PDB file of all heavy atoms in Angstrom:
ATOM      1  N   ILE A 777     106.068  84.278 141.855  1.00 98.00           N
ATOM      2  CA  ILE A 777     106.525  85.697 141.824  1.00 98.00           C
ATOM      3  C   ILE A 777     107.577  85.921 142.923  1.00 98.00           C
ATOM      4  O   ILE A 777     108.649  86.441 142.691  1.00 98.00           O
ATOM      5  CB  ILE A 777     105.316  86.679 142.013  1.00 98.00           C
ATOM      6  CG1 ILE A 777     104.352  86.503 140.859  1.00 98.00           C
ATOM      7  CG2 ILE A 777     105.829  88.011 142.264  1.00 98.00           C
ATOM      8  CD1 ILE A 777     103.054  87.285 141.094  1.00 98.00           C
ATOM      9  N   VAL A 778     107.276  85.332 144.028  1.00 98.00           N
ATOM     10  CA  VAL A 778     108.284  85.502 145.196  1.00 98.00           C
ATOM     11  C   VAL A 778     109.621  84.861 144.857  1.00 98.00           C
ATOM     12  O   VAL A 778     110.628  85.463 145.087  1.00 98.00           O
ATOM     13  CB  VAL A 778     107.634  84.905 146.493  1.00 98.00           C
ATOM     14  CG1 VAL A 778     108.735  84.838 147.617  1.00 98.00           C
ATOM     15  CG2 VAL A 778     106.474  85.754 146.995  1.00 98.00           C
ATOM     16  N   ALA A 779     109.475  83.632 144.257  1.00 97.00           N
ATOM     17  CA  ALA A 779     110.741  82.987 143.890  1.00 97.00           C
ATOM     18  C   ALA A 779     111.504  83.839 142.832  1.00 97.00           C
ATOM     19  O   ALA A 779     112.704  83.949 142.943  1.00 97.00           O
ATOM     20  CB  ALA A 779     110.408  81.638 143.292  1.00 97.00           C
ATOM     21  N   ALA A 780     110.758  84.381 141.944  1.00 97.00           N
ATOM     22  CA  ALA A 780     111.482  85.101 140.871  1.00 97.00           C
ATOM     23  C   ALA A 780     112.129  86.414 141.350  1.00 97.00           C
ATOM     24  O   ALA A 780     113.220  86.661 140.897  1.00 97.00           O
ATOM     25  CB  ALA A 780     110.409  85.565 139.756  1.00 97.00           C
ATOM     26  N   VAL A 781     111.473  87.079 142.278  1.00 97.00           N
ATOM     27  CA  VAL A 781     112.093  88.395 142.644  1.00 97.00           C
ATOM     28  C   VAL A 781     113.082  88.231 143.843  1.00 97.00           C
ATOM     29  O   VAL A 781     113.733  89.188 144.201  1.00 97.00           O
ATOM     30  CB  VAL A 781     111.041  89.442 143.010  1.00 97.00           C
ATOM     31  CG1 VAL A 781     110.236  89.769 141.785  1.00 97.00           C
ATOM     32  CG2 VAL A 781     110.116  89.024 144.131  1.00 97.00           C
ATOM     33  N   THR A 782     113.107  87.091 144.468  1.00 97.00           N
ATOM     34  CA  THR A 782     114.006  86.842 145.550  1.00 97.00           C
ATOM     35  C   THR A 782     115.172  85.998 145.260  1.00 97.00           C
ATOM     36  O   THR A 782     116.100  85.711 146.078  1.00 97.00           O
ATOM     37  CB  THR A 782     113.286  86.263 146.818  1.00 97.00           C
ATOM     38  OG1 THR A 782     112.732  85.049 146.486  1.00 97.00           O
ATOM     39  CG2 THR A 782     112.247  87.248 147.311  1.00 97.00           C
ATOM     40  N   THR A 783     115.215  85.419 144.022  1.00 91.00           N
ATOM     41  CA  THR A 783     116.231  84.477 143.595  1.00 91.00           C
ATOM     42  C   THR A 783     117.279  85.248 142.825  1.00 91.00           C
ATOM     43  O   THR A 783     116.993  85.654 141.623  1.00 91.00           O
ATOM     44  CB  THR A 783     115.683  83.331 142.746  1.00 91.00           C
ATOM     45  OG1 THR A 783     114.602  82.742 143.461  1.00 91.00           O
ATOM     46  CG2 THR A 783     116.747  82.302 142.474  1.00 91.00           C
ATOM     47  N   PRO A 784     118.477  85.528 143.263  1.00 85.00           N
ATOM     48  CA  PRO A 784     119.420  86.285 142.592  1.00 85.00           C
ATOM     49  C   PRO A 784     120.137  85.533 141.475  1.00 85.00           C
ATOM     50  O   PRO A 784     121.381  85.376 141.522  1.00 85.00           O
ATOM     51  CB  PRO A 784     120.441  86.774 143.693  1.00 85.00           C
ATOM     52  CG  PRO A 784     120.323  85.694 144.692  1.00 85.00           C
ATOM     53  CD  PRO A 784     118.999  85.108 144.555  1.00 85.00           C
ATOM     54  N   GLU A 785     119.412  85.191 140.459  1.00 82.00           N
ATOM     55  CA  GLU A 785     120.077  84.448 139.270  1.00 82.00           C
ATOM     56  C   GLU A 785     120.748  85.530 138.401  1.00 82.00           C
ATOM     57  O   GLU A 785     120.485  86.658 138.477  1.00 82.00           O
ATOM     58  CB  GLU A 785     118.999  83.750 138.439  1.00 82.00           C
ATOM     59  CG  GLU A 785     118.252  82.664 139.158  1.00 82.00           C
ATOM     60  CD  GLU A 785     116.936  82.272 138.640  1.00 82.00           C
ATOM     61  OE1 GLU A 785     116.152  83.292 138.455  1.00 82.00           O
ATOM     62  OE2 GLU A 785     116.652  81.156 138.417  1.00 82.00           O
ATOM     63  N   PRO A 786     121.650  85.047 137.557  1.00 78.00           N
ATOM     64  CA  PRO A 786     122.330  85.920 136.616  1.00 78.00           C
ATOM     65  C   PRO A 786     121.339  86.574 135.691  1.00 78.00           C
ATOM     66  O   PRO A 786     120.305  85.983 135.345  1.00 78.00           O
ATOM     67  CB  PRO A 786     123.276  85.010 135.780  1.00 78.00           C
ATOM     68  CG  PRO A 786     123.175  83.726 136.268  1.00 78.00           C
ATOM     69  CD  PRO A 786     122.076  83.591 137.343  1.00 78.00           C
ATOM     70  N   LEU A 787     121.567  87.859 135.408  1.00 73.00           N
ATOM     71  CA  LEU A 787     120.710  88.590 134.427  1.00 73.00           C
ATOM     72  C   LEU A 787     120.737  87.881 133.065  1.00 73.00           C
ATOM     73  O   LEU A 787     121.856  87.600 132.563  1.00 73.00           O
ATOM     74  CB  LEU A 787     121.093  90.061 134.367  1.00 73.00           C
ATOM     75  CG  LEU A 787     120.866  90.855 135.623  1.00 73.00           C
ATOM     76  CD1 LEU A 787     121.490  92.220 135.535  1.00 73.00           C
ATOM     77  CD2 LEU A 787     119.452  90.942 136.111  1.00 73.00           C
ATOM     78  N   GLU A 788     119.639  87.709 132.509  1.00 63.00           N
ATOM     79  CA  GLU A 788     119.647  87.078 131.145  1.00 63.00           C
ATOM     80  C   GLU A 788     119.174  88.165 130.122  1.00 63.00           C
ATOM     81  O   GLU A 788     118.582  89.145 130.505  1.00 63.00           O
ATOM     82  CB  GLU A 788     118.684  85.873 131.151  1.00 63.00           C
ATOM     83  CG  GLU A 788     119.270  84.680 131.767  1.00 63.00           C
ATOM     84  CD  GLU A 788     118.446  83.379 131.527  1.00 63.00           C
ATOM     85  OE1 GLU A 788     117.546  83.457 130.600  1.00 63.00           O
ATOM     86  OE2 GLU A 788     118.723  82.414 132.203  1.00 63.00           O
ATOM     87  N   GLU A 789     119.359  87.741 128.936  1.00 56.00           N
ATOM     88  CA  GLU A 789     118.899  88.717 127.894  1.00 56.00           C
ATOM     89  C   GLU A 789     117.402  88.747 127.834  1.00 56.00           C
ATOM     90  O   GLU A 789     116.667  87.866 128.301  1.00 56.00           O
ATOM     91  CB  GLU A 789     119.382  88.241 126.501  1.00 56.00           C
ATOM     92  CG  GLU A 789     118.844  86.873 126.056  1.00 56.00           C
ATOM     93  CD  GLU A 789     119.391  86.506 124.702  1.00 56.00           C
ATOM     94  OE1 GLU A 789     120.539  86.917 124.428  1.00 56.00           O
ATOM     95  OE2 GLU A 789     118.678  85.824 124.005  1.00 56.00           O
ATOM     96  N   ALA A 790     116.862  89.833 127.355  1.00 48.00           N
ATOM     97  CA  ALA A 790     115.451  90.036 127.289  1.00 48.00           C
ATOM     98  C   ALA A 790     114.774  89.025 126.395  1.00 48.00           C
ATOM     99  O   ALA A 790     115.303  88.695 125.393  1.00 48.00           O
ATOM    100  CB  ALA A 790     115.215  91.473 126.676  1.00 48.00           C
ATOM    101  N   ARG A 791     113.667  88.487 126.955  1.00 59.00           N
ATOM    102  CA  ARG A 791     112.883  87.530 126.159  1.00 59.00           C
ATOM    103  C   ARG A 791     111.598  88.079 125.725  1.00 59.00           C
ATOM    104  O   ARG A 791     110.868  87.392 124.988  1.00 59.00           O
ATOM    105  CB  ARG A 791     112.816  86.229 126.937  1.00 59.00           C
ATOM    106  CG  ARG A 791     114.065  85.422 126.820  1.00 59.00           C
ATOM    107  CD  ARG A 791     113.906  84.111 127.553  1.00 59.00           C
ATOM    108  NE  ARG A 791     113.764  84.317 128.950  1.00 59.00           N
ATOM    109  CZ  ARG A 791     113.646  83.329 129.851  1.00 59.00           C
ATOM    110  NH1 ARG A 791     113.574  82.111 129.407  1.00 59.00           N
ATOM    111  NH2 ARG A 791     113.547  83.541 131.123  1.00 59.00           N
ATOM    112  N   ILE A 792     111.237  89.167 126.221  1.00 63.00           N
ATOM    113  CA  ILE A 792     110.006  89.829 125.830  1.00 63.00           C
ATOM    114  C   ILE A 792     110.193  91.273 125.808  1.00 63.00           C
ATOM    115  O   ILE A 792     110.658  91.875 126.857  1.00 63.00           O
ATOM    116  CB  ILE A 792     108.840  89.374 126.734  1.00 63.00           C
ATOM    117  CG1 ILE A 792     107.551  90.018 126.336  1.00 63.00           C
ATOM    118  CG2 ILE A 792     109.136  89.636 128.217  1.00 63.00           C
ATOM    119  CD1 ILE A 792     106.244  89.341 126.943  1.00 63.00           C
ATOM    120  N   ASP A 793     109.804  91.884 124.765  1.00 62.00           N
ATOM    121  CA  ASP A 793     109.915  93.400 124.688  1.00 62.00           C
ATOM    122  C   ASP A 793     108.748  94.027 125.403  1.00 62.00           C
ATOM    123  O   ASP A 793     107.627  93.985 124.902  1.00 62.00           O
ATOM    124  CB  ASP A 793     109.931  93.784 123.207  1.00 62.00           C
ATOM    125  CG  ASP A 793     110.077  95.279 123.010  1.00 62.00           C
ATOM    126  OD1 ASP A 793     110.099  96.006 124.074  1.00 62.00           O
ATOM    127  OD2 ASP A 793     110.222  95.771 121.870  1.00 62.00           O
TER     128      ASP A 793
END
Side-chain angles (χ1 to χ4, degrees):
Chain A
I777 293 171
V778 170
V781 296
T782 61
T783 309
E785 293 157 310
L787 296 172
E788 283 190 11
E789 65 182 30
R791 282 182 291 181
I792 179 165
D793 179 356

